[in-house]
Amino acid sequence: NQPDLPGMPPPPTEAELKERVKFWMHKLYLAGNGLETDLVRKNLIALGKPAVPLIVEAAQTEFRNQPLPFHLWNVCLVLGGMADDRAVPYLIKRVDQVPERDLKQRPDWNYVRAFAALALGRIPDPGGAAVAPMRAVLTDEKEQHYVRRTVALGLGALQDEGSIDSMAKMLMDPKAPAIMRGGMALALGIIRGEKAADKLVAYLEQD
């Protein structure tokens, strides 16, 4: 362990960290949508990587039965900002394991799924655990267009070359909504590389 720098406060104890996470998670639940929420997210991220398991635990317990998924998509933004792979299993569940009844009762659960996909794209995932479930959502024609779009962007950020053909197929589909086709083009641009570039050129050169 490295010694603390002169004048720097010591890191919080485990008990202190739990209390800080509890405090800011409660603030996140109470906050509206705006500058206050942004400040709360920044304070949670500032707690550092040791807080990640505690934030995930709070999201699974204290927020589990809340009627509004708004708070959970803010949790996804926090976890993406912390970029710790211990959050990956939780975020995968938020992408592909939301009960169908919840989606029917509250379609805005899809926003949680979308933000979880974007968060996964910000977290280095050496084992590739997030790729398969995200690919499944990407290619599911029953999914909401904006969910598939944000999943594509998450896969693009993960540099998933295995998704290039699926993205190119949707990009070339004239019946697909423009917002989804645009997302596929952007995701291919994020992946870069010769294969992704060829798909984009082919789209630009089509009649």
Side-chain angles (χ1 to χ4, degrees), residues 117-139:
L118 292 175
L120 285 166
R122 300 186 65 184
I123 301 175
D125 184 22
V131 169
M134 291 174 74
R135 285 181 183 173
V137 174
L138 175 70
T139 57

Side-chain angles (χ1 to χ4, degrees), residues 24-76:
W24 287 112
M25 289 292 277
H26 183 65
K27 286 284 189 182
L28 189 64
Y29 173 67
L30 295 176
N33 186 17
L35 292 175
E36 183 181 1
T37 307
D38 186 54
L39 177 63
V40 173
R41 288 197 301 258
K42 287 179 179 178
N43 275 283
L44 278 166
I45 292 171
L47 294 177
K49 293 182 182 296
V52 168
L54 299 174
I55 293 171
V56 169
E57 181 182 2
Q60 292 176 318
T61 54
E62 295 179 32
F63 283 5
R64 181 178 54 192
N65 297 318
Q66 299 298 342
L68 298 176
F70 170 79
H71 311 97
L72 289 177
W73 77 59
N74 274 304
V75 171
C76 293

Side-chain angles (χ1 to χ4, degrees), residues 10 12 25 77 117 165 184-185:
M25 289 292 277
L77 289 173
D165 288 336
M184 300 305 147

Side-chain angles (χ1 to χ4, degrees), residues 96-149:
D96 75 340
Q97 295 181 28
V98 177
E100 188 67 27
R101 66 179 183 276
D102 290 344
L103 290 172
K104 289 181 178 179
Q105 292 173 359
R106 292 297 305 266
D108 48 353
W109 268 103
N110 281 310
Y111 288 110
V112 178
R113 303 174 67 213
F115 280 110
L118 292 175
L120 285 166
R122 300 186 65 184
I123 301 175
D125 184 22
V131 169
M134 291 174 74
R135 285 181 183 173
V137 174
L138 175 70
T139 57
D140 187 347
E141 296 182 357
K142 296 179 182 178
E143 289 285 358
Q144 294 285 338
H145 299 312
Y146 65 86
V147 174
R148 297 174 75 186
R149 179 183 187 274

Side-chain angles (χ1 to χ4, degrees), residues 160-177:
D160 180 37
E161 295 185 355
S163 295
I164 289 177
D165 288 336
S166 296
M167 293 175 184
K169 180 180 178 181
M170 285 179 269
L171 174 62
M172 293 290 194
D173 183 0
K175 296 181 181 179

